[in-house]
Amino acid sequence: MDRILCATDTPEPHWTTPGMPKSLLTLLLASFTLSFVAVPQDDGRYLKDRDLAKLATALGNYVEAANTRSKLLEAEHDVQGEMDKLAKKLKKAPVPDILALPEDLGQALFLSRNYPKARGLKPGKILDAEYEGFDSIVRGKGALPYAVWAPSKYDAKKATYPLFLTIPAEGEEPKQHILEQWMEGAIRDGAIIAAPKMPDNIDDWTGVKGDTGLARIMVLMRAMLENYAIDPDRIYICGRGTAGVPAAIKIASLFPDRFAGVIGRAGDLGEGVSAQNFGNLPTWLSGAGARATAFKAEAKSLGWDDLVTIDPEGREAEFWTWANNNPRRTLPSTLTLYPHEPFPTRCYWIKSASGFSEGASIKATVDRELNQITLEGDKVTDVILYLNDQIIDLSRPVTVLANGQKHVDQIPRSFRTCLELIQLGTSDPKRVFVATMAYTLPAKPQ
């Protein structure tokens, strides 16, 4: 069978889950066209926050039930009930189903966190803190120490905020790093800044197994998303110094769709780093060297030269302006994935579900007018698509060209798929997937 409906994925860091997964592997593996057009709100939504309040509560309860394995069926029933009630308020929408309205569904997911009631925050001060759940990811390592800054006028009821996940230079403590290296007033007034305590062994900063920089950054991201009103489309990973910059670049290469951009300060890239998976990930580098130049040249050869900015004298004011101009490319219409073992296997809305041969790649392109997705794979045989109505019109048959082989499928929106991908962390408030489909790509003609 060359294509199947599926709702499977490997768990990834999840922005709403209050509990922590039990292993590093679990953590890391953790707009439509119809015959008439209704007019949504300016942000693409058809429902107001007050309309979404009960669904938000039900979603929050579902996530908690899924984590605790307690009363899950009741929680699912409550979510379905609230979605059914909202259908009555969607008579002016093209499809009276919130699964067809990604912006509204995403806002309900965001509201499910109930950020205004988060405790322990100290806006206007650098807070030294620990995240207790880290010990369940890396056994025997205890809590994860970190420091975090929130603007003095932080207000989760009124705004969402950019997040800078910043890796200190070797020898810098997290609080010291934020105090001395993040002094720009505009950033302190407008963003959340968080820095982890990095592993004692520098070699572990770019590792992927055990107590690594990857584990610490992804756990810290989780902690921030649980407690602060973060805009998922404005999360930036930053590194400073000869150890911090290579770590930031390596982590971004493994999970490119998690970040809006990458910032390197006063340090060059590491050995062997490739620009392959940076096709939709802007990168800003200051105080770098020959490897940064080679990285930019490789990006140019791959067709995305404009995404790499090298600013030899760049300071905080410059990369703050750059960050404001570069929100996440959340659901790009064209993307390329070069899968590797163990990461990355997925980026944005595609996943390679086959083996990871040297030189494997998959390019995906959406044509909204034709309601068509084109997949061009090399040494990739199985691909899973994660879809919603921002990507493709699921009310119409979807044409998929898989290495030239044509499929025309009616891909249904699925309540259960929606919930599963929320729980796994594949979805976030700015991209809630409600359908999946798997395709097998025939070998390209020689």
Side-chain angles (χ1 to χ4, degrees):
M1 189 172 183
D2 58 4
R3 60 199 189 282
I4 57 171
L5 286 173
C6 62
T8 57
D9 194 12
T10 45
E12 299 179 28
H14 181 25
W15 83 280
T16 61
T17 308
M20 290 298 298
K22 296 183 179 180
S23 69
L24 177 60
L25 181 61
T26 303
L27 173 75
L28 299 174
L29 295 174
S31 334
F32 15 84
T33 305
L34 290 176
S35 58
F36 68 97
V37 179
V39 180
Q41 301 177 47
D42 290 342
D43 59 0
R45 290 170 49 202
Y46 290 83
L47 298 168
K48 298 183 182 300
D49 283 2
R50 63 175 177 269
D51 299 320
L52 297 168
K54 291 184 178 180
L55 174 58
T57 299
L59 285 170
N61 292 339
Y62 164 78
V63 171
E64 183 175 357
N67 288 332
T68 61
R69 307 292 182 183
S70 175
K71 299 182 178 179
L72 184 58
L73 290 178
E74 293 93 327
E76 289 182 359
H77 181 268
D78 289 344
V79 174
Q80 182 69 77
E82 294 303 328
M83 288 186 175
D84 290 343
K85 292 176 185 177
L86 287 176
K88 299 176 183 179
K89 297 183 178 182
L90 293 171
K91 295 179 180 179
K92 293 184 179 180
V95 179
D97 179 358
I98 195 168
L99 293 178
L101 306 173
E103 293 91 341
D104 290 285
L105 188 54
Q107 180 66 3
L109 185 55
F110 179 80
L111 294 171
S112 72
R113 282 305 301 159
N114 201 9
Y115 284 113
K117 292 186 178 181
R119 298 179 179 179
L121 309 183
K122 292 186 178 180
K125 297 182 179 180
I126 301 175
L127 174 66
D128 273 321
E130 292 185 336
Y131 195 72
E132 298 295 338
F134 188 63
D135 189 58
S136 66
I137 305 300
V138 184
R139 296 294 185 183
K141 295 299 181 179
L144 173 64
Y146 68 90
V148 59
W149 163 272
S152 58
K153 294 183 179 180
Y154 170 84
D155 188 342
K157 293 181 180 179
K158 296 181 179 180
T160 57
Y161 296 80
L163 170 63
F164 291 96
L165 292 165
T166 178
I167 301 172
E170 183 180 0
E172 283 185 330
E173 292 298 317
K175 186 173 183 178
Q176 171 198 5
H177 172 70
I178 294 176
L179 179 65
E180 297 178 357
Q181 305 301 332
W182 293 80
M183 301 176 66
E184 173 65 33
I187 298 178
R188 290 203 170 213
D189 289 342
I192 310 294
I193 308 166
K197 172 73 174 177
M198 293 296 282
D200 293 333
N201 185 348
I202 291 294
D203 292 339
D204 291 333
W205 288 30
T206 55
V208 296
K209 296 182 179 180
D211 182 15
T212 61
L214 173 62
R216 295 191 177 213
I217 280 292
M218 300 308 275
V219 169
L220 181 58
M221 180 192 296
R222 184 191 190 97
M224 295 298 99
L225 290 170
E226 286 178 0
N227 291 288
Y228 292 89
I230 303 297
D231 181 349
D233 279 347
R234 298 189 66 198
I235 299 175
Y236 304 86
I237 183 169
C238 316
R240 182 176 179 274
T242 56
V245 174
I249 294 291
K250 179 63 177 290
I251 294 167
S253 74
L254 301 177
F255 290 95
D257 63 319
R258 290 292 180 182
F259 305 105
V262 191
I263 295 168
R265 305 172 63 190
D268 206 356
L269 281 62
E271 291 185 9
V273 66
S274 172
Q276 285 184 337
N277 282 310
F278 287 74
N280 285 287
L281 186 60
T283 305
W284 186 93
L285 303 169
S286 174
R291 290 173 185 159
T293 303
F295 181 84
K296 183 177 177 68
E298 182 189 10
K300 182 177 181 179
S301 72
L302 293 169
W304 39 76
D305 177 58
D306 62 319
L307 291 181
V308 181
T309 299
I310 297 179
D311 187 345
E313 302 298 328
R315 299 291 186 268
E316 289 176 81
E318 283 76 21
F319 72 68
W320 175 242
T321 298
W322 173 88
N324 282 325
N325 291 330
N326 284 285
R328 180 174 61 163
R329 301 183 179 195
T330 315
L331 295 169
S333 59
T334 298
L335 61 92
T336 304
L337 169 65
Y338 294 83
H340 294 280
E341 183 67 37
F343 314 110
T345 60
R346 181 183 69 81
C347 70
Y348 305 98
W349 48 271
I350 64 170
K351 177 180 178 179
S352 173
S354 54
F356 306 105
S357 303
E358 186 68 26
S361 67
I362 176 71
K363 181 178 180 180
T365 304
V366 175
D367 187 320
R368 287 280 300 181
E369 184 176 350
L370 296 176
N371 218 47
Q372 177 176 290
I373 296 173
T374 300
L375 304 174
E376 298 175 5
D378 189 9
K379 298 182 180 180
V380 173
T381 57
D382 299 291
V383 175
I384 298 174
L385 305 181
Y386 299 86
L387 302 172
N388 65 22
D389 285 271
Q390 289 171 303
I391 301 170
I392 204 81
D393 186 354
L394 295 173
S395 297
R396 300 161 53 196
V398 177
T399 299
V400 175
L401 300 179
N403 272 1
Q405 188 173 86
K406 185 176 181 179
H407 307 278
V408 181
D409 296 301
Q410 189 71 54
I411 304 176
R413 306 177 189 92
S414 166
F415 169 74
R416 190 161 297 279
T417 296
C418 174
L419 288 191
E420 182 174 349
L421 296 183
I422 287 173
Q423 172 60 17
L424 290 174
T426 307
S427 293
D428 66 46
K430 292 298 179 73
R431 55 169 192 208
V432 183
F433 300 111
V434 297
T436 59
M437 185 72 86
Y439 291 89
T440 296
L441 277 62
K444 284 185 173 181
Q446 297 296 322

